[in-house]
Every structure is written in C-alpha cells, then in structure tokens.
Amino acid sequence: MTPSRLDSPAARPNMSRRLLGAMVAALLAGQVQAADLLTITRDALDNNSTLASERATTSATEENRNVARADLLPQLTAAGEVAYNSVFEQQSQKGFSGTAGDDRYTSYGLNLEATQAIYDARNSREVGVAEKQIDQQTYALAATEQQVLIDTATAYFNILRANDILDARRAQERAIGRQLEQVQEQFDVGLVAITDVEEARATFDQSRADRISAESDLQVAFEQLERLTGKRYDSIDKLQDELPISLPTPSSRDAWIDTALESSPDLLAQKSGVDVAREQVGVSKADRLPVVSGFVNYSYADDDQDYLEDYNSTGQVGINASMPLYTGGRTSASIRQSTYSLESSQFDFESQRRETIQQVRALYTQVSNDVSTVAARQQAIVSSQSALDATRAGYEVGTRNIVDVLSAEQNLYNAIANYADARYSYVTNLLTLRRQAGVLDEAAIETINQYLQSNGQVTFTLPENNGGSYDAALDIGERPQLEQ
C-alpha cells in the first residue's frame, strides 16, 4: 500500500505546526472579550478628548460668574510702606537754615481700607452676562456629548458595515476563483475559447482588488473608533439579523421638528447666545450710570527721627460716588458695537433654527426611505441568486456565455454588500435623527445595544502583505496560468 502525502515524514512537521497554530488561535479566541456598543460608548464619554476639553471649558465658564460677582462683594486692601529718607537742607520757622536733628531717618506707613459697592450697574450687568454664558456653555456641552454618542455609534456600525462588505467580497472572490478554475480546465480540454479565460481572470482580479480594499476599510474603521475612545478593541459584537426595521417613533415629521425646536442643544446654545449679547448691551449702557460705594479706611504713619516723638494715626468712613461725563465717545461706540453683536447673534439663531428644521426633515425622510431600501435590498439578494442560478443553467446548455455568469456572480455579491450597507445606514441615520432632535442619550444607545449578539464578533486583524496571502484560502490552488 502506497502511503499518502499526509503520512510522509515531510508532511508531519507541517501538520504539527498547523495543529499547534490552531490550538493557539483557539486559546486566544477564548480569551478575547468582545466589546458591545454600550461599553464603547461609556468609554468614549469617559475618555474622549474633545468632550474632556468641553467639560473643562464649562468649568472655566462657571468661574466667570464668581469673577464678576466678586466686584459686588466687600473689598479689603492693605498697604504698607517703609522708606529711608535723607534731608539735605531744612529751614525752621525763624528762617534758620541748615539741618536739625537727624538728617537721615526711616519712615513707616500703614493703610487699611474696606469698600463695598452700593450701586454699580456695570458690575451687576456683568454678573448677568456670566449667568447667560453658563447657560450657553451648558448647552454646548450637551451638544458635544450627543455628538460623541453619534460619532461613536457611527464608527461602531461602520466597522460592522465594513466587515459585512468584506465577507461579501471574500465570498465573491472565492466564487469567481472557482469559476476561473473551471474555465481554465475547460480551456485545457478545448471546450471554451481563450477569451472566456481572459474574462474570468479579469473578473477574478477585480474581485481580489475589491476584497483588499474592503480589508483596508475595516482596518481604518477600527482606527477611527480608537481615536474617539482612546482605546483599542480587538473585537466588537455583531448586529443581529432580527433588528426591527421600522419608521421612527413618533411617525410624524412635524413631531420631530417640534421636538428639535424644544430640545436641540445646538439651537438652545444659539438662543442663549442671543441672551448673552442682550446682556452685553446692558453692560455697555451701564457705563453712563454713576457708581456709588462706601468705604472705611485707617492709616498710621511714624518715623525714627530723634527730635520728633509724635506719630500720625487717622481713620475715615464715607461714601464715594463717581459718574462719567464724557469719555471721548467711547461709551456710545461701545453701545453701538454691542447692539450690532446682538443683531448678529439673532441672525445666527435664525440660521441655526432653519438648519435644524431642514436637517430633521431630511433625516426623517432618509430614515423612512431606509426602511423601504432595506426591504428592497433584501429582495434584490433573492432575485440576484435566482438570476445567477438561471444564468449558470443557461451556461451549461450553451445559451449563456461566461461573461453573463461572471456578471451574475458580481450582481449577487454586490446585492449582499448593498443590503449590509442599507441596514447600517438605517441604524446610523435613525440615531442621527435623534441627535439633530436633541434626544440622543445613553438610553437610546442601550436600546440599540440589545440587538447586538455576543456570540458573533468582528475581530481586528492585520492582513499579511496587503492580502497577498489570501489566495491560499480560496481553495483554488495557485493562480492559473494561460496555456498558449
């Protein structure tokens, strides 16, 4: 009995290496814990650098209120002075010229003063500006948080999209590779012309290029997710096929617009910007009003001259009032400037309002169309499979050529890729609609997260030498060479 190639001594080391590699791969697979959308979203909320910057900006803005309010609270100052004095000449009351006593001495002085604003319209208005700025920044922070949520979800589903498209491209490459092998065998025995082999090879090369491009897209998608969260994920959970594809709730475009006008943080931030500008006009006008403050001060002065044993100690209690009469036109110009800024902020608010309405309308329409598109793409897979079966049958009896078969193969896998693209577009557009309406939160992410399956994972892997080693997985041997 002739031993097989698998029983030969040369084959045994290769078998051992393959078995060892399989065992290591299985062990590593058992240690990999796939991350789901909710976990990654929380990582993004904790680690996203843009969101962290916005939070720091919010804290800084909140301190503006304390800075502005401080000018309305009691102010206490202390000043001291120590001076070395030299007297070069002095004259007494009787006209005697010369020096008397110490001509060099040290003097000391101390002054304490407390003030309290009684009426200060400008500082009071500046507190109002700070309050409105806090409101504006709070809405800006909410907008950034929602943007991080949608960016993270989009990046997550872009990975799943790229993975499903890659699966379709790999299956397409395998199918066309088998077709190429079959045509080559038919050419070898003279059943088909050389042009059929050329057509099959060209289509195979294109499918291979499509697969390499899909692998690159998957790698880039993983990198984008890492940028948002600051973490690298070896694998993430897949989306279940049972995800319901339905119209958004409420199923009224006007209802979504009303929600956006009430809840959109971007729109509310612009509205608060109008309030800030209006308060700033009040600050400018307050420069024309008087400022009244009360004060208490105490001063003490002494020196070490030998012939003088006295010292000076005084105290004051009073009210100080001041009012600008003419500032060179500065106050009037400041009022005009802040008025124009108010007008500009009002136009910005109106622009944001119109954009919000347009975005919500467009997204609601897109999500509604996505529902129909997903169903149509799913049916296209069935139709493309039927067309491929019919084309193959026609090729067997000679009524169709190889170009028709290859075209039908491509149509089928394009339909599969388009179906995957439509499903993920529906999910991301639905979440984007909630983002534009201002109602995207962690609870909405958790709802989508329920349709992820932990038993199916998308793993981040780097292909060897840009996918060149993938030919070995096609089960078609080496790339056929044309025989002339």
Side-chain angles (χ1 to χ4, degrees), residues 285-314:
K285 290 181 177 180
D287 285 337
R288 290 177 171 173
L289 301 176
V291 176
V292 181
S293 61
F295 67 90
V296 176
N297 64 45
Y298 168 79
S299 62
Y300 173 84
D302 193 8
D303 59 55
D304 60 357
Q305 296 186 77
D306 293 338
Y307 69 95
L308 291 177
E309 299 296 336
D310 60 340
Y311 60 89
N312 185 25
S313 177
T314 61

Side-chain angles (χ1 to χ4, degrees), residues 324-391:
L325 298 178
Y326 179 67
T327 58
R330 182 179 184 277
T331 301
S332 297
S334 177
I335 293 174
R336 292 194 300 270
Q337 182 185 48
S338 57
T339 301
Y340 290 136
S341 296
L342 172 60
E343 184 178 357
S344 175
S345 65
Q346 290 171 334
F347 284 122
D348 290 340
F349 169 72
E350 177 61 22
S351 177
Q352 183 65 51
R353 190 187 71 86
R354 295 177 183 179
E355 182 179 356
T356 299
I357 292 175
Q358 187 274 330
Q359 289 289 336
V360 171
R361 286 174 177 171
L363 284 166
Y364 183 87
T365 301
Q366 184 62 57
V367 173
S368 301
N369 291 339
D370 287 340
V371 175
S372 301
T373 300
V374 171
R377 296 296 189 191
Q378 191 172 23
Q379 182 59 41
I381 296 176
V382 178
S383 301
S384 297
Q385 183 64 63
S386 299
L388 175 59
D389 294 340
T391 303

Side-chain angles (χ1 to χ4, degrees), residues 87-109:
V87 179
F88 299 104
E89 183 178 357
Q90 66 179 359
Q91 182 174 355
S92 67
Q93 294 181 354
K94 295 181 179 181
F96 175 76
S97 299
T99 61
D102 294 337
D103 58 355
R104 290 181 176 83
Y105 64 94
T106 303
S107 61
Y108 312 91

Side-chain angles (χ1 to χ4, degrees), residues 87-157:
V87 179
F88 299 104
E89 183 178 357
Q90 66 179 359
Q91 182 174 355
S92 67
Q93 294 181 354
K94 295 181 179 181
F96 175 76
S97 299
T99 61
D102 294 337
D103 58 355
R104 290 181 176 83
Y105 64 94
T106 303
S107 61
Y108 312 91
L110 175 65
N111 184 70
L112 297 176
E113 184 175 28
T115 61
Q116 170 63 59
I118 297 175
Y119 178 76
D120 191 333
R122 178 182 177 86
N123 285 339
S124 297
R125 288 286 190 174
E126 286 179 344
V127 174
V129 171
E131 294 283 356
K132 298 302 181 181
Q133 287 175 336
I134 291 174
D135 293 340
Q136 183 182 25
Q137 182 57 35
T138 300
Y139 290 126
L141 176 60
T144 302
E145 288 178 345
Q146 292 197 27
Q147 191 60 44
V148 169
L149 292 179
I150 188 59
D151 289 344
T152 304
T154 299
Y156 186 98
F157 289 113

Side-chain angles (χ1 to χ4, degrees), residues 124-416:
S124 297
R125 288 286 190 174
E126 286 179 344
V127 174
V129 171
E131 294 283 356
K132 298 302 181 181
Q133 287 175 336
I134 291 174
D135 293 340
Q136 183 182 25
Q137 182 57 35
T138 300
Y139 290 126
L141 176 60
T144 302
E145 288 178 345
Q146 292 197 27
Q147 191 60 44
V148 169
L149 292 179
I150 188 59
D151 289 344
T152 304
T154 299
Y156 186 98
F157 289 113
N158 280 344
I159 293 176
L160 300 185
R161 185 201 312 265
N163 181 75
D164 285 4
I165 292 176
L166 176 58
D167 288 344
R169 297 310 177 198
R170 284 172 172 170
Q172 174 181 274
E173 185 178 4
R174 285 192 294 267
I176 295 179
R178 288 191 293 269
Q179 192 69 51
L180 173 58
E181 185 181 45
Q182 180 182 357
V183 172
Q184 178 67 63
E185 292 174 352
Q186 291 174 340
F187 173 74
D188 292 341
V189 296
L191 296 179
V192 297
I194 186 64
T195 55
D196 288 352
V197 182
E198 293 284 7
E199 291 286 354
R201 173 164 291 179
T203 305
F204 174 78
D205 290 340
Q206 182 59 51
S207 66
R208 184 171 181 270
D210 292 341
R211 185 260 303 164
I212 294 174
S213 177
E215 287 178 339
S216 176
D217 291 341
L218 181 59
Q219 297 169 46
V220 171
F222 266 103
E223 296 293 342
Q224 290 174 343
L225 187 62
E226 180 183 357
R227 179 184 65 84
L228 292 169
T229 64
K231 293 184 177 181
R232 178 178 292 273
Y233 302 93
D234 294 328
S235 59
I236 64 174
D237 291 345
K238 286 186 176 181
L239 187 64
Q240 297 177 8
D241 294 333
E242 293 77 13
L243 173 73
I245 307 295
S246 59
L247 293 175
T249 303
S251 57
S252 169
R253 188 174 66 173
D254 291 339
W256 281 96
I257 292 175
D258 292 341
T259 300
L261 294 179
E262 294 176 0
S263 305
S264 171
D266 299 285
L267 186 60
L268 294 175
Q270 286 289 352
K271 185 177 180 180
S272 295
V274 175
D275 296 335
V276 171
R278 185 175 289 110
E279 289 290 333
Q280 193 62 53
V281 173
V283 171
S284 299
K285 290 181 177 180
D287 285 337
R288 290 177 171 173
L289 301 176
V291 176
V292 181
S293 61
F295 67 90
V296 176
N297 64 45
Y298 168 79
S299 62
Y300 173 84
D302 193 8
D303 59 55
D304 60 357
Q305 296 186 77
D306 293 338
Y307 69 95
L308 291 177
E309 299 296 336
D310 60 340
Y311 60 89
N312 185 25
S313 177
T314 61
Q316 288 182 319
V317 177
I319 294 177
N320 183 21
S322 64
M323 181 174 179
L325 298 178
Y326 179 67
T327 58
R330 182 179 184 277
T331 301
S332 297
S334 177
I335 293 174
R336 292 194 300 270
Q337 182 185 48
S338 57
T339 301
Y340 290 136
S341 296
L342 172 60
E343 184 178 357
S344 175
S345 65
Q346 290 171 334
F347 284 122
D348 290 340
F349 169 72
E350 177 61 22
S351 177
Q352 183 65 51
R353 190 187 71 86
R354 295 177 183 179
E355 182 179 356
T356 299
I357 292 175
Q358 187 274 330
Q359 289 289 336
V360 171
R361 286 174 177 171
L363 284 166
Y364 183 87
T365 301
Q366 184 62 57
V367 173
S368 301
N369 291 339
D370 287 340
V371 175
S372 301
T373 300
V374 171
R377 296 296 189 191
Q378 191 172 23
Q379 182 59 41
I381 296 176
V382 178
S383 301
S384 297
Q385 183 64 63
S386 299
L388 175 59
D389 294 340
T391 303
R392 283 174 175 170
Y395 180 71
E396 295 295 333
V397 298
T399 59
R400 293 294 186 95
N401 57 34
I402 189 62
V403 176
D404 297 330
V405 175
L406 295 172
S407 178
E409 291 270 13
Q410 288 180 309
N411 289 339
L412 172 61
Y413 293 106
N414 285 339
I416 295 174

